[in-house]
Amino acid sequence: MKRQNKYRKFQLQQKNIEALEKENSRFKRVYSEYENMSDELWNLENSSGEPVPDDFINAMVLQTSYLEDEIEDWLIQFNEKKTQIKH
């Protein structure tokens, strides 16, 4: 059984992400970069090939967490905006 990619933490918010990607090209680039980095990080941590230095993996983890923070901020603002429109 394949382990789930722990770096894909926004799966439950796909509809909001898709809407944000349509309205904001910068968000789309950031989210695309996040997907690429999280996939690559997952592959590096789970490959049986040549070991990768911990410093490199730690730098990727840090960059991925920065992207996650930025995505979370956008999603919070998007959800607040949706809530305000409903009221």
Side-chain angles (χ1 to χ4, degrees):
M1 188 166 142
K2 208 173 182 186
R3 289 173 38 200
Q4 184 179 3
N5 185 339
K6 67 182 178 184
Y7 299 106
R8 288 297 182 93
K9 65 186 267 179
F10 300 110
Q11 291 176 339
L12 298 176
Q13 299 190 51
Q14 282 303 309
K15 287 186 179 187
N16 290 344
I17 287 169
E18 289 170 11
L20 268 167
E21 285 179 322
K22 288 177 184 172
E23 75 178 43
N24 189 319
S25 63
R26 184 165 185 273
F27 176 83
K28 186 175 183 173
R29 285 191 310 273
V30 168
Y31 192 76
S32 176
E33 182 66 21
Y34 166 74
E35 284 184 314
N36 292 335
M37 287 194 74
S38 63
D39 286 344
E40 189 58 35
L41 193 51
W42 176 254
N43 292 335
L44 287 172
E45 289 183 340
N46 293 286
S47 71
S48 57
E50 188 73 25
V52 178
D54 287 343
D55 288 347
F56 183 78
I57 290 180
N58 290 339
M60 286 188 68
V61 167
L62 184 62
Q63 181 62 32
T64 302
S65 71
Y66 288 146
L67 293 170
E68 285 177 353
D69 290 346
E70 191 168 352
I71 291 165
E72 284 176 352
D73 289 345
W74 256 313
L75 288 169
I76 289 168
Q77 290 174 16
F78 182 78
N79 288 327
E80 287 174 352
K81 191 169 104 176
K82 270 187 4 186
T83 303
Q84 289 174 355
I85 291 171
K86 288 181 182 178
H87 290 107

